Amino acid sequence: MTMTYLSKLSFAGLKGPAKTYSFNQDLVLILGSNGSGKSTILQAIHLLLRGKVFRSTGMSSVGNGKDIIKLANPGAKEISITGEWSDGVVVSRVWKKSGSSVKESI
C-alpha cells in the first residue's frame, strides 16, 4: 500500500517572502532560528487543509476571512497557498481582501 503525502507546498502573501518547499515521505524536519518562518509553514499547511486560522474564533474563512487576512504581509491584499500531494492531487486556496470583506476561492 502506497501512502499519500504532501510533497510540495507553495505560498505567497503570508508574513515573510513567498516560498516553495518540497517534502519527502521519509522524514521532514523544520529547523531554524527564531523568526525564520517555521510557524508560517505550519500555518500555511493548516490554512490549506482547514480553511481557518489555528485558534480562530471558530469562523471558517467563508464566513469571516478577517482572521486569515491578518496573517498577510503588511499591505498585501491576498494570501495564496498551493499544496501538491504525491498522488498528483493539487489544491489551491486564495483569500483576497475586497473592501471590508475577504473572499476565498478554492
Side-chain angles (χ1 to χ4, degrees):
M1 183 169 127
T2 304
M3 186 168 61
T4 300
Y5 62 93
L6 181 65
S7 60
K8 189 174 182 182
L9 176 70
S10 302
F11 55 85
L14 287 173
K15 292 183 179 172
K19 296 276 187 171
T20 298
Y21 297 94
S22 296
F23 307 107
N24 66 45
Q25 67 181 11
D26 297 324
L27 178 66
V28 175
L29 297 174
I30 301 173
L31 304 170
S33 58
N34 290 344
S36 64
K38 301 177 301 291
S39 295
T40 304
I41 294 169
L42 298 176
Q43 282 180 329
I45 293 169
H46 191 267
L47 283 171
L48 180 66
L49 297 175
R50 300 286 311 237
K52 62 182 182 178
V53 176
F54 181 71
R55 295 186 189 167
S56 74
T57 59
M59 301 290 287
S60 71
S61 61
V62 174
N64 183 357
K66 293 177 184 173
D67 283 350
I68 292 172
I69 212 68
K70 286 179 185 176
L71 299 174
N73 280 320
K77 295 191 182 219
E78 97 174 30
I79 293 173
S80 63
I81 304 171
T82 301
E84 297 180 27
W85 276 258
S86 59
D87 62 357
V89 172
V90 176
V91 176
S92 293
R93 291 180 105 144
V94 178
W95 294 268
K96 290 185 182 183
K97 188 174 183 180
S98 176
S100 63
S101 65
V102 177
K103 307 273 187 210
E104 178 186 12
S105 59
I106 299 175

